[in-house]
Amino acid sequence: MKHVSKKAPRKRASRQLFYIVVGFALGLAGLTGLVYAVMPGRANLGSPEIGGSFSMIAQDGRVVTNADLAGRPYLVFFGYTHCPDFCPTALFNISAVFRELGPDKRVAALFVTVDPERDTPDILKTYLENFDSRIIGLTGDPSKTEAIAKAFRVYAKTVPGEKSGDYTVDHTGVVYLMDKRGKFVSAFNLSRPPLQAARELEAYL
């Protein structure tokens, strides 16, 4: 009788597992590269494709344009006051970064609503009282809201809720860093410690 080694099936199984692991690693690396390729980065420095002129209404009722931000760096974040968790977390993190900079630093952040129907100036004012005073809430009619979202290449889509008239808004979660000239620098990372993020922002003062 011919002897069959029990090690052979184990070797084949080990090779198969190795190929699966390698294939998964290569796929993950490719996906990571794709994410970085499509994310706004410093290669887009000064790109006219992100940002531009706008005219919106702030939470205090005044008209705010891009010219009003000239001479200071600022962040731009799109969201809405009914956002359950992502938006308030981002605004909280921006406030923490601004606190690290100190109250005297000339910086700003724009919180642009993607839900102008519900987010009136008064609603934005009440909502933003919970965050740093240098965060400016912006709203406007649907056409102006659509225009500024398009300028920043922001995706926003209304999703009907279970109850009649209720809805949420799916939207882009990128925080944009703009320089003193209103030119796009890069996506601003809020997942790091506030002091580290503040040091980057301070470099553009």
Side-chain angles (χ1 to χ4, degrees), residues 11-193:
K11 290 182 178 179
R12 285 196 296 270
S14 297
R15 285 198 299 269
Q16 291 174 349
L17 179 59
F18 172 76
Y19 293 144
I20 291 173
V21 171
V22 170
F24 176 77
L26 290 174
L28 183 60
L31 179 60
T32 302
L34 178 61
V35 169
Y36 278 98
V38 299
M39 280 292 290
R42 296 186 188 280
N44 302 104
L45 181 62
S47 170
E49 296 181 0
I50 298 180
S53 61
F54 59 84
S55 178
M56 304 289 286
I57 305 298
Q59 72 263 41
D60 57 5
R62 64 190 171 98
V63 175
V64 173
T65 70
N66 53 295
D68 295 319
L69 281 302
R72 53 178 163 165
Y74 59 98
L75 305 176
V76 183
F77 175 66
F78 289 76
Y80 65 116
T81 62
H82 285 73
C83 183
D85 46 32
F86 184 76
C87 298
T89 299
L91 293 171
F92 175 82
N93 290 336
I94 291 172
S95 297
V97 173
F98 283 5
R99 281 197 300 272
E100 292 291 348
L101 286 172
D104 59 329
K105 295 299 173 63
R106 295 191 73 251
V107 296
L110 303 181
F111 175 59
V112 186
T113 182
V114 293
D115 185 16
E117 183 177 346
R118 292 185 295 194
D119 287 344
T120 63
D122 286 341
I123 293 295
L124 285 173
K125 182 179 180 180
T126 300
Y127 184 75
L128 292 174
E129 286 175 353
N130 299 299
F131 306 103
D132 192 281
S133 60
R134 287 166 286 188
I135 299 176
I136 304 169
L138 296 182
T139 188
D141 60 48
S143 62
K144 289 187 176 182
T145 301
E146 183 179 351
I148 190 173
K150 184 177 180 180
F152 282 88
R153 296 193 289 186
V154 167
Y155 166 84
K157 181 180 180 181
T158 300
V159 180
E162 296 180 357
K163 298 180 180 179
S164 177
D166 190 22
Y167 62 88
T168 58
V169 183
D170 287 343
H171 61 89
T172 301
V174 174
V175 178
Y176 302 86
L177 170 58
M178 315 299 286
D179 67 15
K180 292 180 179 182
R181 301 171 299 159
K183 300 298 183 180
F184 171 71
V185 177
S186 67
F188 193 72
N189 180 12
L190 288 174
S191 63
R192 55 192 160 166

